[in-house]
Amino acid sequence: MTSPRRPAARRRTAVLRREAVLATVPVAVAALLGAAGPAAAGTTGASGAGDPYFPLSGNGGYHVRHYGLTLGYDTSSRHLDGKADLTARAGRRLTRFDLDLKGLKVTGVTVDRAAARFTRDGQELVVTPRHALRAGQEFHVTVTYGGVPASVTDPDGSADGWITTDDGAFVAGEPQGAMTWFPANNHPKDKSSYDFTLTVPEGRTAVANGVLLGQRTAHGRTTFRWRQSEPMAAYLATATVGKFTVERYTTHDGVQVYNAVDPREARAAAPVLKKLPSVLEWESKLFGPYPFRAAGSLVDHAPDVGYALETQSRPLYDSAPDLSTLVHENAHQWFGDSVSLTTWKDIWLNEGFATYAEWLYSEQHGGDSAQKSFDALYARPASNGLWAFPPGDPGSGANIFDTPVYARGAMTLHELRKAVGDQDFFRILRAWAAAHRAGHGTTAQFTKLAEHVSGKDLDGLFHTWLYTKGKPGRA
């Protein structure tokens, strides 16, 4: 996501699957599979994934392997009809489990084709299958639902989820918004493949993640079918609808590019989107092979949103992006999308890395050096908001899109680069993206990797720049 985020005015400032390694994916998934509610340990899946900042996000006791989402959206009435088919695996015996779904009326739930009892409790859809699920059992859940979706308000006062626009919807789910349009295990710990079947009025385009499998128009409505094969966290899913001009091509590396641009933004967006292949090529040289089959851009006209989001394989922009924003959101395809969080506290692993990618791009393309960007930030007085909290410990969900996470997170990486040298620094970035590809990572794993690659003791550096309050002193 672009930095820093602010309610309705979160613009960028100038400074600012395959299989994962066996040691990484099970760490996050096991936490979901094993979690159980205190009232009925071993039989009731927890109502949250255990994240301290968003305690009700995600659920315990199971892992969703695949989502099949069939949606119909009427842009006039703003009504959404949905059917979600989930393929999941129970981590323990389950007599009950939860899904995250906010608003929208549920009209039926089945588990393995048998009708299941369900109740609503805030954002929780509580499902009681006819028969208890065995530990290790694969099961299928179908939820039918509908209504007029609405966005959620995040702790920082901003909106995410299904955000209505004048010609459709801007659908950006970080950190909570996936539950506004489909029932989900809504935490980055749980990553899944997706199929989307999206039907909208003729003349509108519905864009989701991954590869476009086909589209068909009949009786005044057009259906788009999309597939995201590589694992994806729910917050990175999109089903954005609008009047878009579409451009499609394949890069020399075989990546399928799909750009959808609101005509009102086309003139401003064109010169930047033209650079997408070269940006992906440059990032691939620095970070390792591009992690997905598809790429592209989704440029909407949504002036009240105020941010962009790294929706997997196809970043979503509320208006024509500048080049730095394009670099930032596509760097997230490695850092945040392919390598995902296990807790929102570690958000600097997403935003600090994407911000530093901006600095590196500038440095290597005739702009300011990373050192100059660092120095300009470090010159800010101790009272400046940059030093309000350490990036490795933002303190609450209200702070995870604030300046320290982005800018001081990037400064941490620059300090690491200076400490280990360019050769080892870029080896660390590539090793991180490769070792945790399609999986998850933690700050502790990153710091351990950095020490392993460089052979240096970096405890002091990371403690100072990630966890020390206030403005760090010069080394």
Side-chain angles (χ1 to χ4, degrees):
M1 182 171 284
T2 48
S3 104
R5 203 167 83 160
R6 286 292 184 273
R10 299 164 292 188
R11 295 289 179 186
R12 167 174 310 283
T13 63
V15 296
L16 288 178
R17 111 183 219 1
R18 289 302 169 199
E19 299 295 344
V21 171
L22 293 178
T24 62
V25 175
V27 171
V29 173
L32 290 162
L33 293 176
T43 61
T44 303
S47 59
D51 195 285
Y53 291 176
F54 300 95
L56 290 179
S57 290
N59 303 280
Y62 66 94
H63 159 57
V64 180
R65 291 180 49 247
H66 181 76
Y67 290 88
L69 302 178
T70 303
L71 306 176
Y73 186 60
D74 188 299
T75 53
S76 296
S77 66
R78 300 180 178 179
H79 190 277
L80 179 72
D81 288 307
K83 184 175 79 168
D85 293 301
L86 284 62
T87 303
R89 180 168 66 89
R92 58 174 62 214
R93 184 177 184 271
L94 286 175
T95 58
R96 195 181 78 196
F97 60 90
D98 286 19
L99 289 163
D100 299 309
L101 183 65
K102 186 175 179 64
L104 302 174
K105 181 179 179 180
V106 175
T107 55
V109 178
T110 66
V111 177
D112 290 334
R113 299 184 179 181
R117 298 199 312 272
F118 63 90
T119 59
R120 306 295 294 274
D121 182 11
Q123 71 180 57
E124 302 298 317
L125 171 59
V126 184
V127 179
T128 304
R130 183 174 298 179
H131 304 289
L133 303 169
R134 303 183 309 276
Q137 177 182 343
E138 182 173 281
F139 62 101
H140 302 270
V141 183
T142 299
V143 181
T144 54
Y145 59 97
V148 177
S151 62
V152 293
T153 301
D154 294 326
D156 66 355
S158 61
D160 79 286
W162 193 280
I163 302 172
T164 302
T165 61
D166 62 0
D167 62 353
F170 180 98
V171 184
E174 188 180 30
Q176 304 179 92
M179 64 182 176
T180 66
W181 60 284
F182 69 99
N185 197 354
N186 190 21
H187 192 277
K189 284 181 180 180
D190 207 44
K191 298 175 69 170
S192 320
S193 59
Y194 284 73
D195 280 295
F196 304 85
T197 302
L198 311 175
T199 301
V200 294
E202 184 177 359
R204 300 299 200 276
T205 300
V207 187
N209 312 83
V211 174
L212 179 65
L213 301 181
Q215 66 184 74
R216 178 178 180 270
T217 299
H219 309 296
R221 297 177 69 79
T222 304
T223 298
F224 297 80
R225 295 186 299 112
W226 296 88
R227 174 167 294 162
Q228 173 60 59
S229 300
E230 300 90 352
M232 178 170 71
Y235 82 88
L236 295 168
T238 189
T240 292
V241 179
K243 295 179 180 179
F244 297 116
T245 300
V246 173
E247 174 190 31
R248 300 178 67 181
Y249 59 89
T250 302
T251 70
H252 63 78
D253 291 328
V255 177
Q256 297 185 42
V257 176
Y258 186 103
N259 292 326
V261 182
D262 187 299
R264 292 168 289 186
E265 302 290 339
R267 185 173 181 178
V272 177
L273 298 190
K274 188 176 180 179
K275 293 182 178 292
L276 178 60
S278 64
V279 167
L280 293 178
E281 183 178 8
W282 174 80
E283 291 180 330
S284 295
K285 288 178 180 177
L286 251 60
F287 310 140
Y290 181 72
F292 308 119
R293 293 178 179 85
S297 309
L298 215 181
V299 183
D300 208 343
H301 179 76
D304 293 333
V305 172
Y307 61 85
L309 180 65
E310 60 274 16
T311 43
Q312 188 160 306
S313 76
R314 188 162 296 108
L316 173 62
Y317 308 95
D318 71 323
S319 61
D322 60 21
L323 184 54
S324 290
T325 305
L326 188 85
V327 170
H328 182 107
E329 302 304 341
N330 282 284
H332 274 309
Q333 304 307 305
W334 285 264
F335 307 115
D337 293 11
S338 179
V339 184
S340 298
L341 303 173
T342 61
T343 173
W344 286 105
K345 181 179 179 181
D346 280 344
I347 186 67
W348 84 278
L349 289 170
N350 293 11
E351 302 301 349
F353 282 54
T355 301
Y356 198 66
E358 294 181 60
W359 297 9
L360 291 171
Y361 189 88
S362 172
E363 179 176 89
Q364 296 183 22
H365 291 81
D368 288 345
S369 68
Q371 185 63 53
K372 186 172 182 179
S373 297
F374 179 99
D375 290 341
L377 287 167
Y378 192 81
R380 296 183 182 184
S383 59
N384 187 269
L386 172 61
W387 317 112
F389 57 84
D393 188 12
S396 75
N399 296 331
I400 61 174
F401 302 118
D402 213 340
T403 301
V405 170
Y406 293 74
R408 186 167 163 182
M411 295 174 82
T412 301
L413 292 173
H414 191 68
E415 286 291 297
L416 173 62
R417 180 183 175 187
K418 291 193 294 183
V420 305
D422 276 13
Q423 183 175 353
D424 279 350
F425 177 73
F426 291 108
R427 285 178 61 204
I428 290 165
L429 293 187
R430 288 190 293 270
W432 178 249
H436 298 269
R437 185 181 176 98
H440 299 82
T442 67
T443 296
Q445 289 172 326
F446 178 74
T447 59
K448 184 177 180 180
L449 174 67
E451 291 188 325
H452 175 74
V453 171
S454 68
K456 294 187 176 184
D457 182 351
L458 300 169
D459 283 353
L461 184 155
F462 286 118
H463 176 75
T464 297
W465 283 92
L466 289 180
Y467 299 110
T468 301
K469 295 181 179 180
K471 182 176 180 177
R474 287 286 196 181

